[in-house]
Amino acid sequence: MSKLYEEFQDYLTKINQYDHITTLLYWDMKTGTPRLGQPAHVDALTYFSTESFAMSTSEKMGEMLAGLTAPAEFDALTDTWKFIVKEMKRDYDRNKRIPADVYAAFVQAQAQAGNVWVEAKEKSDYSLFAPYLQKMIDLTIELTGYTDPDKEVYDALLDQHEAGMDSATIDGLFDTLKKELIPFVKEILARQKPENPALKGYFDPNCQRKVQDLLLDYIGFRKDAGSVGETEHPFTLNFSSKDVRLTNHYYDHNPLSSIFSAIHEGGHAIFEQNVNPEYDNTIAGSCRYMGLHESQSRFYENILGRNRNFWLPIYDKIGELLPPFQDIPLEDFYREINYVKNSLIRVNADEVTYCFHIILRYEMEKAIFRDHVPVSDLPALWNEKMQEYLQITPQDEANGILQDMHWSGGDFGYFPSYLLGSIYDGMLLDTLQEELGDVNELLKTGKIGEITAWLNQKIHWYGSTRKPKEAIMAVCGREVSAEPLVRYFKQKYSEIYKL
Amino acid sequence: MSKLYEEFQDYLTKINQYDHITTLLYWDMKTGTPRLGQPAHVDALTYFSTESFAMSTSEKMGEMLAGLTAPAEFDALTDTWKFIVKEMKRDYDRNKRIPADVYAAFVQAQAQAGNVWVEAKEKSDYSLFAPYLQKMIDLTIELTGYTDPDKEVYDALLDQHEAGMDSATIDGLFDTLKKELIPFVKEILARQKPENPALKGYFDPNCQRKVQDLLLDYIGFRKDAGSVGETEHPFTLNFSSKDVRLTNHYYDHNPLSSIFSAIHEGGHAIFEQNVNPEYDNTIAGSCRYMGLHESQSRFYENILGRNRNFWLPIYDKIGELLPPFQDIPLEDFYREINYVKNSLIRVNADEVTYCFHIILRYEMEKAIFRDHVPVSDLPALWNEKMQEYLQITPQDEANGILQDMHWSGGDFGYFPSYLLGSIYDGMLLDTLQEELGDVNELLKTGKIGEITAWLNQKIHWYGSTRKPKEAIMAVCGREVSAEPLVRYFKQKYSEIYKL
């Protein structure tokens, strides 16, 4: 090991300590900090993020990266460290152009906007949130101007969330979905029976927690390397592959919410727990690609979790833990979790109409960053697109434009990742069945461990070392296409709705 | 404001950021970190504690404190800052003598010993813990040699936990208790009826949480400035008066444990929430005196919580939240929470025999630090003293010497604080009744808010600005004495046991 390499490792260790702390502050602000304690946490978060950012973009870091990418040093690196150094150099070159005060302003605005969004959603009052949204948009444009001066803003944002993706590619994929799914959903709705929920009444939140624990254990989430908190909006974060946290929420009258959030966040968490531990605390560890990340959470949630056979080996146990399930036949439960309808809330949507919720948000984001639609016009645009794709209008802003937290965190360009994830899932399902056999058979016989092991080996292990398009090519042997997802939808829902 | 004063404030802000983080890491390790995530948290805790300690003991800090304590600067300070600067100067002079590596070793050993203690207690195997206990003892002696070179080790430890206390004073107080209570407990036990627990069967932990929330709210814990976590061993910590956390545990078959831990930790938390907020993030904020702190938790737990009248206004509500209580008459509950018996576990002991549990630990600590009894002989000594004071022998080490976490954290000299707290409580009760009238009347009529307001004003507001003996003198107008506590015990238990 060269002296430079050792010096670099020491420097990274210190940055990692700061990043460890910002992760922890964020976790605690969401799960345990009382209202009056939030400002002190925001101060600390701003302080440590700013320090970490300053170290990551320092002259010293620039010199070390320049040294390590020069042939004499670079050739002596392992393949993993070749990847890490190259990626860090790319990040450095982009980030060093951001003035420290702009970065600090962004981190602080993010925390403030997050808190205001919670309040605005509670009061269903978009006007409270609008100025903070405007600030996040402005700061995002400013930041992107520094990081990606040669890219159109929205393409830069897409690439930041899913490296290698741009709006031309996404337009193509989403157009296929629109062309195929708009008429298909009409067909389904024409055959749809009136809604007659199988799940009614009170479901003890404490029992929902037990079901959650069963499901997490069943799909392969490891409790010794993870824990579960409670928040209004579920999420997953990780310190390393050895400490992955997820959150859930428990509604007295809607157990499906905690059940599918557990499986979804569990999918994210299983990804993180199974990245090559050698990558821990480097840019290679953890998955930086949101579409690829969502492909795993949504594979568990939808491809597996909304399959009848997933439930066969565990449905009786669920009835033991959450007694009202003893009176709900599996067939009724299955029908309910795949009941297609035009609805208001993305996270509660069935997997088919879910596509429209994302396409709507994607088009909203293009309107914000490409057409510069003013913040004050966004609620009307939202409602217009809800009518276009889902033929309904939200009764209030809490159930409309305020429903998601993403924009409050400046996460513009994230939403398409969900649907890209499902598109990858269609392809992964094809390959998985070629290699392991019929997924129904595997699920029916409780062999979900084999599926998780396959995903561990094919996707999770690599962390961030393969970009999404490369990963899909490596696993499936073909370019990204929406066709397998469409075929999966048509096959599954034609059977359910006897089309 | 002088330039030096401003520079000092900036420096303190940075130290505070680090201390904020060590508090958070500790909280998260106890409440949310999975097993495999612990080492990374220990690393971070070691890193940030060491950095904070280095700043607090730096040359720069020394120069600033020397400057600020010189008359020209000192005379311009507010009274609060005069106190803070003087106390910090005293701490600085003591701590700067500790070598940084010794301090880092102590922090790391503390975290390790804490984890090993949990395992050793689970396995009831003292031999696992013994080498870590030895290390904590050695490091404590080494540290005390630096901080208090002129003091006998155990007196130094007592003073660290309860400023102004020494073993001569404590010997005197505890001798009074032994002289009065040993025969008194014999009298009680001679009249004692066989144990016939009123609380039997299953108590839903989720319902216990609801009772806890009711109790915390009732005694005055503010949810907007605090939150509750779950740990095996309940504790309270605080970031500032605006963010005070406590923990609790919930045993299926023993609701008294969560009920009295909630009231006890709630007492600590109410203290911290009501310190003058101007003292936040300084050495004056928060209470550094463990006896004074325990006097508040134990005032709520025992003086109020074990009084029949405390329960009158809320007992029906408790039955609504925790239905088995509907079948337990208040009179039976009252008798049970004051059932005197010789038992093994300190935290479950009645308030009278509790005194012996502390006296035992105080004598154990004197044996460790004064008589140098080897670690391997401590279990036998423990059992011997259990026989002497409580006439029973633990069936295993988990219920004997391993029951408390304190020594694993190097908290030698803490235990006497509990009993000093009760001794202060006897005196505070006298004064409170002189000023507010009969405590039974206040409790019966639900006027607990008046009691909390009185404690806020007389004790909590001052934080650390008055040392325990000063605080007691200021509030009660006399020197610390065990006589009021003895009188309280005799009056209360003579009535219960018709002596």
Side-chain angles (χ1 to χ4, degrees), chain A residues 17 65 72 88 187 231 245 249 282 489:
Chain A
Q17 294 289 17
L65 287 170
M88 287 188 70
E187 267 188 83
T231 56
R245 316 277 178 98
H249 54 186
T282 75
F489 280 150

Side-chain angles (χ1 to χ4, degrees), chain B residues 408-445:
Chain B
S408 76
D411 270 334
F412 304 103
Y414 189 118
F415 283 120
S417 307
Y418 294 108
L419 197 41
L420 290 171
S422 284
I423 289 167
Y424 304 156
D425 284 345
M427 302 182 69
L428 290 171
L429 177 61
D430 278 355
T431 307
L432 181 138
Q433 298 201 106
E434 282 162 25
E435 299 187 6
L436 297 187
D438 184 9
V439 74
N440 294 316
E441 223 27 66
L442 291 165
L443 289 174
K444 201 181 292 180
T445 51

Side-chain angles (χ1 to χ4, degrees), chain A residues 16-37:
Chain A
N16 281 332
Q17 294 289 17
Y18 284 46
D19 292 344
H20 191 85
I21 291 314
T22 57
T23 304
L24 179 58
L25 283 161
Y26 181 84
W27 170 258
D28 192 72
M29 284 169 73
K30 298 293 178 190
T31 59
T33 315
R35 187 174 61 81
L36 296 176

Side-chain angles (χ1 to χ4, degrees), chain B residues 345-356:
Chain B
I345 306 295
R346 176 182 62 86
V347 296
N348 297 337
D350 64 273
E351 60 183 325
V352 190
T353 62
Y354 187 93
C355 302
F356 301 136

Side-chain angles (χ1 to χ4, degrees), chain B residues 104-118:
Chain B
F106 182 80
V107 172
Q108 201 157 21
Q110 205 173 26
Q112 284 169 342
N115 289 336
V116 173
W117 168 75
V118 170

Side-chain angles (χ1 to χ4, degrees), chain B residues 8 39 53-54 86 109 140 167 189 202 218 262 290 313 403 424 426 495:
Chain B
F8 182 62
F53 185 75
K86 266 200 296 192
T140 299
S167 59
L189 294 181
Y202 176 78
Y218 186 64
M290 294 307 109
Q403 68 183 265
Y424 304 156
E495 187 210 308

